[in-house]
Structure formats: structure tokens, C-alpha cells
Amino acid sequence: MAREIVCERRLSLSLAFILEVFPVMQNFHHWRIKLYIHFLLWNWGLYIHFLLWNWGLYIHFLLWNWGTAQKTLLQCPMDATASGTSSISFHNIADPPIPPMVNLPVAAFERQTRHCFGDLKPGEFPLAANPSIVLHVLTACHLDPQDLAKLEACLPASTYLFLDDKNWQPADFAPDPKLSITELAALDMCQKRAIFRPMKDLQRQELKRRCGGSWKLVLSFLLAGEACCRREKPQAIAGPGHSIVVTSSGAVYSFGSNSSGQLGHGNTKEESRPQLIRSLQGIRIIQAAAGAGRSMLISDAGQVYTFGKDSFGEVEYGSQGSKLITIPLIVESLKGIFAVQVAIGNFFTAVLSREGRVYTISWGNEGKLGHHTEPNDLDAHPLLGALENVPVVQIAAGYCYLLALAFQPDGMSVYSVGCGLGGKLGHGTRTDEKYPRLIEHFQQLRLQPMVVAAGAWHAAVVGRDGRVCTWGWGRYGCLGHGNEDCESVPKVIDSLGNLKAVHVATGDYTTFIVTDTGDVYSFGCGESASLGHNPDADPQGNNMHANVLSPALVTSLKEVNERFVQISLTNSIYWNAHTFALTESGKLYAFGAGDKGQLGVELSANQTERGCPEQVELDLS
């Protein structure tokens, strides 16, 4: 009986703590975030239902067996009589029959004093009795790192967890006695990320140090990478003459040109329909990249596979690499690196590790990429300079240059390195950069970059506020500013108005933007019908080949009546371009050049391109 009294008292006080935390959360600025918290404690018959909803707080409690619960609730500032606010509406739900129970006395709870040791003295807070309740509040409701930081700033410094292993049964890891409850929640959410889970303790601590010394910052770093790279999500890659598709389960399909074995089927036969790469059976692929005559894949174990021409330069030159690899093989020089993204540029390849380090392969002579190597050097070298101690969440490769989206405690930033022709490095000049250099103009625009894209000769960024910036060579109107002028620093596309972008893709003088409503806009070069504009507007079919100087809604995709989440287009100056559009439901649509079967759809006799999007018979979900 004494044990039950102690347990009931501990649970009651834990509930009081939760009731005290949530009024603090009312100070958050993210009022439109819906928080749904649902606890069901079968052992005690306690049902709590919280709903924070657009400035309104809706609470419904069914408290069984607690004679003193009313007294506790009256002390809570969320009570209408105590706070002076209007009374709260409740669901009209009939209470279930409650069996008669004997109310047990519970010591009064002193709100001004909090301790976490839980030695059962009056006025102390025995959080160690059941810490998983509070942790569930912070983790199961998908609070982002900014919310956790604001909550921690509002809570008293004494709200820390001092726990021993025997009292932490529900957790998947041993708690750090120095962690605040919000830090512990952030670490718990990091544990659920696929690339974080297998890391050893020393690797985790090193990542924590690189991110700024906080698990909340580590969580922000991981979430940023997932958002901009579609990591572990379905994706379609429109390569130069061939295509790679990754399903949600990690299976890989390829089709199109196969002269160098870049489809990975063990032969050089061209395919006009998606074919499964069977040699990858049992391996889950999370990211893919396609270059001229070759393909690269990354598994969930961080291994990099490559197939096609054994070259890191443009296949058309024919001066590098003569060996053909027709099935996916692990890149030996990258075995010691847990890779999460790969980007294929012209004459070089870049690899991003899970710790946020960037490695480059080939095209490093004269120090153009921060290290001195020969053009045929196939070993991976870390990118030196400003990014050595700054974690990177995304990389994008264009024609002889590289962009890196870097994570820092005060926000995101973009670095560029390589060839500066056309002003595509974004520094206000057209000179080359041998080492990564910060693009400072985003600070003047008050824009925090969230996604980067590198076209052959121009680049683009989506900001946290949904604005889109472009810079570089403006030929054919690929910058979207209504002209063909070059821009040597990032410039906001004003014609987008109040549209909020979430994704951007760039190719050879073409640009696509996806908005938060799932609509798609395109502009730039109209060759190969790769912009997707409806040819029905012109009976002669000239409309689908016209250049577009400002963002225009792709009406042919709008008519599909689907929400689009990703666009991929050919990023090579030597191939006719084609485009993929992926919907939220996993449907894939293709249009543009299809002379090599790269669209994955049948074309009529003598037809080499398709102006209207057509669904590829492949379910990526």
C-alpha cells in the first residue's frame, strides 16, 4: 500500500509539472504549429488530451482515482479563474463509468521549488519517478530545434534531469546527467535518424562539437540535410541521356543510353523502359547521381557505388578512362567515409560525409578544388580552406564549380569554389576561387539559404522565407529576371511575388521552382521541350520550344492535379535535356528529349521528344 501511495504521488506531481510547462510554451512564436499530445497510462486510468491550436489551448482531462486533482488544476495558471481569461470549451464526450475508489492523501505541491532527485520530501519534484512522460511530450509532438531552444530559455535552470540508469527504463540510451530536458529530447530525436543511429559515441561527440556543442544544433543539422537532399525518400535523376530512379524502399531502376554501361545491368544495351538493377538486391539505396556516361549511388550504410565509364571528366572528350564498369561496384577510395550525398560535376565529383565534410575526386590540378592532384587522381581528398571545420548539409556541382550549403549555429550559409566564368560563384566577380569562399551577399538580402542548386552556368538558392535567388550566366532567361543579363551576385526573383518556394532545380540554362502548394514554375531555354509548357497553346508546337525569361506556371503539370515535390532536369551542356516531375504520392512524370529512351515512356515513330508530361509506369512509393 505504501508503494502505491508513493507511485500515485509521483505521477500526480509529474502531471503537475506538465501542466506548468505548457503555459510556458504559449510564449512561443510558432503559434500555427499544431501540437497533439496523447498519453494513455493504463496502470492508473489517467487519460490526458492536449491540443495547442492557433492561440487557443484546448484541454480535456479524464482524471480517475485522483481526489486531489482539482486542487492541483486550480493552482495551474491555465485555469480560467486564476489567469483571468475566458473559460475553456471542452469536448462534449460522456465520461465512462468510474468504479468507486478510495481517495489517497497526497502532499501539497509547492510550485516555487523544483528538484529532480525525488527523495519524497514535501515540495520536491520527483521527475526521476517517471521521466518518460515529460520526454514524450517533447519528442512525440515533433517539436523542431527552435521550439526546444525557446522552451529551454523559458524554463528555470533547475529543470535538469539527474537520473541513474535504473530509473530510466523507457529510454534507448543512458542519459547524460548534465543534459537539460530539452537537450535530452533533441538527442532522443537524433537517435531516430538513420544516419545518426549507427554512429559511435566518439563520432557523435565530434559531430556535436562541429555543430556548435548542442544536441539541438545536431538535430537542426540532420533535419536540414534530410529536407534539401530528399535523403531516404523517392527520387528521380535526369542524367545526360540516361535516368536513375530510387524508390522509397531503396530499389533502383535505370533506363536510357547505356553506351558505357551507366545503367548498371551488366551490358551496354539501351533501355527505353525502367529496368531494376538486380545486382543491388539486398542493398538499400538512399541517394543517386548521374553524370555523362556514368552513375553513382549511396547506400544506407554510407557506401558509394559507381558504374559506367571509368572517368571523372566529360565522356565526350574521351581522353580520360577507357575501362567500362557495367554493374555497381563500391568505390574503394571512399570505403573509410560514410557518405550521404554525391554530386557529379564536369571533370570532378564531390562527396559529402555524414559528419558534414566534403571530399572531391579528380580535377584538382593547380589547386582548383583546394588540393593539388593530377586530373586522373581517383583518390578522395578533403576540401580544404574555410569549410574544414564547418559542417555542410548539401552540395551541388555544376560546370567546373561546386556549391556547399553550410550549417552554422547562427543559420545557414553558402560557399562556392572553382571556375568563376559568368559570375556563377556569386562573389561579384568572374574570377576563379581555389578554396571555398563565403557568398556574403545573402546577408545583405537578409535571406537564410535552405536549398542550393548548381546549373551548368548559373546557380539558385531557396531561402527559409520562400524567396528564390539566382545568379550567373543569364542566357535564354535562365535567371528568371525578365532578361538575359548576367548576375555576379545572388538576386531575388521579384516576379514570383508572394509565392513561397520549397524546392529549386537547375540545368543547362533552365530553372524549375516548386512552391509550397505543389505547383511548378519554369523558365530559361526551351530547347527539347524540357520546360514542360503546354504546346496546345500553339498549333505549330513552337510554344514548347520558346525561351521563357520569367517564371511561368507549368500548366501541363497543373492539369495533372497532383502535388509535386521534386523536379530533376539534365545538367549537361552536351546532351539534349529531359525533365522528371515527382508527385507527393510517388507518381513520376517525364517530358523533354527522349531519343535515347531516357524518358522511360514510349514515343511514336520518328518522335525524339515529348512536350506534354507523361506518367512513367513506375510507382516510387
Side-chain angles (χ1 to χ4, degrees):
M1 178 62 69
R3 179 188 177 97
E4 292 180 356
I5 294 175
V6 169
C7 291
E8 289 178 4
R9 177 179 175 276
R10 287 182 172 182
L11 189 57
S12 177
L13 294 177
S14 296
L15 172 60
F17 173 77
I18 296 172
L19 293 176
E20 187 170 14
V21 166
F22 273 91
V24 176
M25 295 179 65
Q26 294 180 10
N27 295 323
F28 287 178
H29 296 292
H30 301 307
W31 291 105
R32 296 188 178 181
I33 297 178
K34 296 182 180 179
L35 298 179
Y36 179 82
I37 306 172
H38 187 188
F39 296 98
L40 186 59
L41 303 177
W42 289 278
N43 290 340
W44 304 101
L46 176 62
Y47 177 86
I48 307 175
H49 185 190
F50 288 120
L51 184 61
L52 296 180
W53 185 16
N54 296 339
W55 297 94
L57 181 60
Y58 167 80
I59 308 176
H60 184 196
F61 295 96
L62 291 179
L63 296 174
W64 298 356
N65 311 336
W66 304 106
T68 59
Q70 293 181 352
K71 180 177 179 180
T72 304
L73 288 174
L74 289 174
Q75 293 175 348
C76 176
M78 285 188 293
D79 179 72
T81 59
S83 62
T85 60
S86 58
S87 54
I88 302 172
S89 301
F90 293 86
H91 277 311
N92 188 19
I93 302 177
D95 292 339
I98 303 175
M101 295 293 292
V102 178
N103 293 329
L104 299 176
V106 181
F109 177 66
E110 298 181 14
R111 290 170 41 79
Q112 301 301 322
T113 306
R114 291 193 187 93
H115 299 283
C116 295
F117 295 98
D119 57 3
L120 303 182
K121 294 181 181 179
E124 294 191 346
F125 178 68
L127 182 59
N130 203 336
S132 63
I133 298 179
V134 181
L135 183 62
H136 180 81
V137 172
L138 303 178
T139 60
C141 301
H142 306 289
L143 292 175
D144 61 33
Q146 290 77 17
D147 288 334
L148 292 175
K150 291 178 180 179
L151 176 60
E152 183 171 80
C154 296
L155 288 175
S158 59
T159 312
Y160 281 73
L161 294 178
F162 297 90
L163 307 171
D164 52 61
D165 293 342
K166 67 180 181 180
N167 288 326
W168 194 257
Q169 300 296 331
D172 297 326
F173 55 93
D176 186 339
K178 298 181 181 180
L179 290 182
S180 68
I181 190 170
T182 52
E183 274 287 276
L184 188 61
L187 176 57
D188 190 30
M189 285 186 273
C190 288
Q191 289 269 53
K192 300 174 183 178
R193 323 323 293 187
I195 68 171
F196 184 87
R197 194 178 304 118
M199 295 179 72
K200 297 179 180 179
D201 185 62
L202 290 179
Q203 294 172 324
R204 294 180 177 183
Q205 294 299 328
E206 172 62 15
L207 178 60
K208 180 180 178 181
R209 183 194 66 79
R210 285 174 58 82
C211 289
S214 165
W215 290 120
K216 291 186 290 294
L217 293 175
V218 174
L219 180 60
S220 295
F221 168 77
L222 296 175
L223 293 176
E226 293 176 4
C228 60
C229 300
R230 291 194 61 80
R231 194 177 298 154
E232 299 185 72
K233 295 181 180 179
Q235 54 189 276
I237 309 299
H242 73 289
S243 305
I244 303 291
V245 174
V246 182
T247 69
S248 60
S249 63
V252 182
Y253 293 79
S254 60
F255 44 98
S257 175
N258 196 28
S259 58
S260 301
Q262 63 263 41
L263 297 187
H265 301 308
N267 54 48
T268 56
K269 177 184 175 183
E270 192 174 283
E271 298 288 351
S272 60
R273 292 287 187 179
Q275 300 294 325
L276 178 67
I277 302 181
R278 302 188 182 279
S279 61
L280 292 172
Q281 185 176 3
I283 301 173
R284 185 170 185 261
I285 300 300
I286 62 172
Q287 201 260 335
R294 64 193 181 96
S295 306
M296 301 186 77
L297 308 172
I298 295 180
S299 72
D300 60 353
Q303 295 178 315
V304 180
Y305 296 79
T306 185
F307 44 100
K309 194 174 182 66
D310 185 21
S311 166
F312 286 95
E314 277 290 351
V315 68
E316 286 74 20
Y317 284 93
S319 60
Q320 297 178 5
S322 58
K323 181 181 177 181
L324 300 184
I325 302 173
T326 59
I327 59 172
L329 296 179
I330 293 179
V331 180
E332 295 294 330
S333 63
L334 295 174
K335 275 191 172 181
I337 300 171
F338 194 109
V340 294
Q341 189 195 354
V342 61
I344 301 177
N346 299 68
F347 308 106
F348 78 100
T349 293
V351 176
L352 178 65
S353 75
R354 67 179 172 185
E355 294 82 14
R357 293 187 174 90
V358 181
Y359 299 82
T360 57
I361 304 173
S362 190
W363 195 70
N365 56 320
E366 300 179 0
K368 286 190 177 71
L369 287 179
H371 51 74
H372 299 268
T373 63
E374 296 300 320
N376 59 355
D377 184 1
L378 301 184
D379 289 332
H381 299 268
L383 191 61
L384 305 178
L387 291 177
E388 289 185 65
N389 295 312
V390 178
V392 173
V393 300
Q394 183 198 2
I395 53 177
Y399 193 87
C400 305
Y401 75 107
L402 178 71
L403 297 180
L405 179 63
F407 174 85
Q408 293 172 319
D410 57 349
M412 298 288 192
S413 55
V414 180
Y415 289 76
S416 61
V417 60
C419 173
L421 287 177
K424 58 190 176 183
L425 296 185
H427 303 302
T429 67
R430 300 188 180 186
T431 58
D432 297 348
E433 295 290 341
K434 294 184 177 181
Y435 295 94
R437 179 181 172 185
L438 174 67
I439 301 179
E440 299 177 353
H441 195 67
F442 289 115
Q443 298 176 0
Q444 299 181 27
L445 297 175
R446 297 184 181 276
L447 184 144
Q448 184 173 146
M450 296 301 295
V451 180
V452 298
W457 297 101
H458 72 293
V461 155
V462 175
R464 179 182 291 275
D465 58 6
R467 288 184 293 167
V468 179
C469 291
T470 56
W471 67 96
W473 214 311
R475 191 177 182 185
Y476 304 121
C478 63
L479 299 185
H481 301 305
N483 53 49
E484 297 188 43
D485 297 341
C486 295
E487 299 289 346
S488 58
V489 294
K491 181 178 179 180
V492 175
I493 302 179
D494 294 326
S495 58
L496 287 173
N498 295 324
L499 294 176
K500 183 176 181 180
V502 295
H503 173 71
V504 65
T506 51
D508 179 22
Y509 298 120
T510 51
T511 307
F512 279 75
I513 293 172
V514 181
T515 69
D516 58 349
T517 60
D519 291 329
V520 179
Y521 293 76
S522 67
F523 46 95
C525 181
E527 293 181 6
S528 306
S530 61
L531 292 181
H533 295 298
N534 199 334
D536 293 340
D538 184 354
Q540 303 299 322
N542 296 322
N543 182 64
M544 65 182 183
H545 294 100
N547 299 331
V548 180
L549 303 183
S550 298
L553 178 67
V554 182
T555 56
S556 58
L557 290 176
K558 184 72 172 180
E559 294 168 357
V560 172
N561 198 28
E562 288 270 1
R563 183 187 181 95
F564 290 90
V565 295
Q566 186 216 356
I567 298 290
S568 176
L569 59 155
T570 306
N571 190 13
S572 172
I573 63 176
Y574 299 105
W575 288 84
N576 292 329
H578 69 290
T579 305
F580 286 128
L582 178 63
T583 70
E584 192 174 42
S585 61
K587 296 177 182 177
L588 183 64
Y589 292 84
F591 50 94
D595 54 313
K596 297 294 183 180
Q598 63 265 46
L599 294 179
V601 299
E602 291 291 343
L603 299 179
S604 59
N606 301 323
Q607 187 181 11
T608 60
E609 62 186 34
R610 182 166 186 85
C612 284
E614 182 172 341
Q615 185 176 349
V616 181
E617 295 181 1
L618 185 64
D619 186 1
L620 276 69
S621 63

